[in-house]
Amino acid sequence: MAKEKSNSIVKGTLVLIAGNLVVKIIGALFKLPLANIIGADGMGLYNASFIVYDIFLVLSTAGFPLAVSKMVSASCAHGNDEDALKIFRVSRACFLVIGLIFTALMFFGAEMYSGWIGNNRAYLAILTLSPAILFVSLMSAYRGYYQGINDMIPTTISQITEAVCRLVVGLSLSWYLNAAGYDPQVVAAGAILGITAGEFVSTFSLAMIHCRKMRQRTHRPKRRTQPSLSVANIIGTMFATSVPIGIGTIIISAINALDNVVVMRRLESIGYSEQQANTLYGTYNMAFTVFSLPITIASALIVSVFPVLSYAHACRNFARVNRTASASLRITVIVGMASAALFLSLSYPIVMLLFFRQPQAARVAAMILTILAPTAVPITMFMLTSAILQAVDKLFAPTGSSIVGGIICLLCNWVLIGQKSIGIFGAPVGLFTCFTVASILNMAAIGRCKNIRLKVRHLFSKALTPAAVMGVTGFAAFRLTLSPLGLFKSAAFSILIALVNYLLVLFLNHTLEREDILLLPKGHVIVRILERLHLLDSRFAPADRI
């Protein structure tokens, strides 16, 4: 059983990483050209609609996918496949009703909400995005179920179909509307329509995959080791599990919405008009789009690890919980530090290449990305530590951490953005402070867990060395080759040099431990090769797979 679950986490993580990589590439092919088509002003309207959307999405789905995943994983741990299916069917019916209610609330109140966030021109984009609430609500049931049984293929397929539809519909409409001379708010709404269409296609694909899997289900369900759950029991457990997660998520979404208002109002207070403030906020979101690209690896690992941690915790296998959580934390820190080093050293060429049609906005976005870069470490740590706490039933801890971090972010933004000498450059500082505080609080909560002992010795020091080498070599290579090679060739060469040096130091410094590598497919083979090359310490016998 342990070996099967080990293979399961490996396959799940690989499928999600591969799928998320494809989705991020498609997303880049959507958002980056979109920014070049509609400009910083249009991107400000585009992102403003998501402030309202996120609130309603959280209200309609907050905590539910994780609750379904946790309940399904626990049922499977006790051999109750039939109950796992029943949990899915009940949750799907509940999410349908909830999704319809919140879609209607967002649709009919779109004009009022655009006024609340201080961006009246975002009304049409909010209106266009509202039907996506229903589709995402339904998707939550499917994704929660398949993540619970650690089958990541349906989720990955749905994400890719969503991204492709968003790319085709959103870019086509925004390009046509912009070429036809429509106002930025109409062009932004056209791009948003691609999002809504993508969510519909994604939900439809999940439903078709599920129907096909149910038709192929020829074996009888496993013998139940506990009595079958009633509908009332499922709904009660689902809400009891999701409410602590949901409360924190709802509050954070409210803080994000308030933060948008704070950013806009404080920029206006130092002399910017509403359109100018919206353009600056759009520039910040251009930087954040680039910043989020490498975080995909950490996100995929976290989604895949959560049901495995839940399964091990349900079986009271705390040794396995500790091994899996510790290895995941090391990989998360490695990814976070590498991302930070990359953006600290090469933010200018990366942003200038991606947003070549908006050179003025790109220059500002590059500076914002440089300030934003260190946030890659605390944001990935917060994501993983929240998943660990939720998997071991410490559901309120991430909520409290999120609230404290969010309030500190608001205070920082209010003070910093209101300074004329700082302005929009205060936003990434507020974000860094938010996730640093929240991740520290999460780590403290994990430390208080009786049976959880994470291996954190040398966690940062070992990951820092390869990241520092990556940053220095990348920066030096870019500066030395910019004049003779030009921006494009110099950037590509610098990124390649930085990555090669990073991988060399990563192994020479023994940053990765045996348990980390055993998470990979054929990990035992990779371990033997690295030992022969003296790139991995061979003094200890190979541990069991996680």
Side-chain angles (χ1 to χ4, degrees), residues 185-395:
Q185 50 264 45
V186 178
V187 180
I192 290 290
L193 189 58
I195 305 290
T196 304
E199 302 293 3
F200 168 75
V201 171
S202 180
T203 306
F204 182 78
S205 67
L206 271 174
M208 293 299 99
I209 291 169
H210 182 73
C211 288
R212 186 166 176 265
K213 283 182 175 288
M214 291 301 101
R215 284 196 299 267
Q216 293 174 345
R217 186 183 169 89
T218 56
H219 65 281
R220 294 177 63 83
K222 295 179 182 178
R223 178 179 63 84
R224 291 192 300 269
T225 58
Q226 295 177 350
S228 179
L229 297 171
S230 66
V231 173
N233 194 325
I234 291 172
I235 294 175
T237 305
M238 183 170 64
F239 276 92
T241 305
S242 63
V243 165
I245 302 171
I247 289 174
T249 312
I250 289 168
I251 293 173
I252 287 302
S253 290
I255 290 174
N256 286 338
L258 187 58
D259 186 51
N260 179 77
V261 175
V262 167
V263 171
M264 292 289 291
R265 298 303 187 203
R266 295 301 281 167
L267 286 173
E268 290 172 14
S269 73
I270 57 176
Y272 293 102
S273 66
E274 180 182 305
Q275 183 171 349
Q276 290 172 328
N278 177 71
T279 300
L280 281 174
Y281 193 62
T283 304
Y284 171 78
N285 282 287
M286 288 165 66
F288 195 84
T289 298
V290 181
F291 171 79
S292 65
L293 293 177
I295 310 300
T296 303
I297 298 174
S299 301
L301 176 66
I302 290 162
V303 172
S304 184
V305 160
F306 178 79
V308 178
L309 289 171
S310 298
Y311 181 96
H313 185 259
C315 296
R316 313 297 291 175
N317 188 346
F318 297 113
R320 187 157 171 235
V321 170
N322 288 326
R323 288 199 307 271
T324 305
S326 297
S328 302
L329 183 61
R330 284 193 297 272
I331 294 174
T332 298
V333 170
I334 288 170
V335 171
M337 284 200 168
S339 302
L342 180 67
F343 292 138
L344 276 171
S345 58
L346 296 171
S347 61
Y348 178 78
I350 291 172
V351 174
M352 292 301 293
L353 284 174
L354 294 177
F355 302 111
F356 60 92
R357 291 190 62 184
Q358 303 289 332
Q360 186 174 355
R363 290 187 184 92
V364 179
M367 290 186 284
I368 293 173
L369 181 59
T370 304
I371 304 170
L372 193 61
T375 308
V377 178
I379 197 172
T380 50
M381 281 192 65
F382 172 75
M383 291 161 61
L384 179 68
T385 51
S386 294
I388 293 171
L389 288 166
Q390 290 159 0
V392 299
D393 294 330
K394 301 297 180 182
L395 303 177

Side-chain angles (χ1 to χ4, degrees), residues 345-346 470-482 494:
S345 58
L346 296 171
M470 179 189 194
V472 171
T473 55
F475 180 80
F478 176 69
R479 291 299 177 186
L480 291 172
T481 58
L482 178 59
S494 303

Side-chain angles (χ1 to χ4, degrees), residues 402-414 430 433-434 437-438 441:
S402 302
I403 293 170
V404 173
I407 292 172
I408 291 175
C409 180
L410 284 175
L411 294 174
C412 286
N413 284 349
W414 179 268
T433 308
C434 166
V437 171
L441 292 175

